[in-house]
Amino acid sequence: MPSLRNILRRRWWEQDQRCLWCGRWVWMMGMVTRRDATERLWRLTGAKPTRREINRARATAEHLVPKSLGGTNRVSNIVCACQACNVTRGADMASMQPVPGILSNLPLEVQHRVLRLPSEFGRLGRSDAQPSRGKENHIISGC
């Protein structure tokens, strides 16, 4: 199984270095230096970015089904999101919609998972092939 960092790097390239949720350019440590990220954000926005803005534009591994709700580090459960969107979304799976142009660059398995999140899992659902240990065995399994 690939490491989370390698999955994130793969998604970063597949998503054209953009956040799935807001579409903004994101930078990834080890691929872009902080200095280069600062210069690129400055060119994109027309103003020198603050340290906070630079940090919020950093690429993070977004779990489509959050780990707190039974999600895993499987390749089909990880997308690239800016730190701002990852923190904003939290465990609320129905709160954000993906940018269509970025979503279409991802593998079909991931696209299907993203599109069925709001309807199939709602705000409190569990998924990702991690059945509950209790009597409730009606959980929808993921890809």
Side-chain angles (χ1 to χ4, degrees):
M1 179 174 207
S3 71
L4 190 59
R5 181 152 179 81
N6 287 337
I7 296 169
L8 175 59
R9 183 178 294 127
R10 177 176 158 187
R11 293 290 183 250
W12 186 68
W13 283 114
E14 289 172 345
Q15 293 175 210
D16 196 27
Q17 303 171 16
R18 299 196 174 276
C19 172
L20 179 65
W21 308 115
C22 68
R24 290 190 202 121
W25 177 79
V26 293
W27 65 283
M28 186 171 169
M29 294 175 100
M31 302 296 285
V32 176
T33 65
R34 183 176 287 274
R35 182 179 183 168
D36 289 342
T38 302
E39 290 173 6
R40 174 115 187 230
L41 288 169
W42 196 337
R43 282 194 312 269
L44 290 172
T45 62
K48 185 175 182 181
T50 64
R51 181 173 291 218
R52 182 172 187 229
E53 291 168 334
I54 295 166
N55 288 336
R56 290 173 60 90
R58 197 178 82 234
T60 60
E62 168 81 283
H63 291 79
L64 293 173
V65 177
K67 292 183 88 171
S68 63
L69 297 177
T72 66
N73 285 343
R74 290 174 53 191
V75 175
S76 62
N77 194 43
I78 304 293
V79 294
C80 179
C82 66
Q83 185 179 30
C85 287
N86 198 339
V87 170
T88 300
R89 181 172 176 258
D92 187 359
M93 295 184 287
S95 66
M96 300 175 94
Q97 295 299 314
V99 176
I102 297 171
L103 182 63
S104 62
N105 293 337
L106 294 173
L108 286 177
E109 181 181 12
V110 178
Q111 289 182 39
H112 292 146
R113 176 168 275 220
V114 170
L115 293 174
R116 72 174 193 240
L117 281 176
S119 62
E120 218 170 283
F121 303 114
R123 293 177 181 262
L124 299 173
R126 286 182 52 116
S127 170
D128 214 30
Q130 296 231 347
S132 67
R133 304 258 185 249
K135 295 178 183 176
E136 301 173 285
N137 207 8
H138 62 280
I139 297 167
I140 302 167
S141 68
C143 297

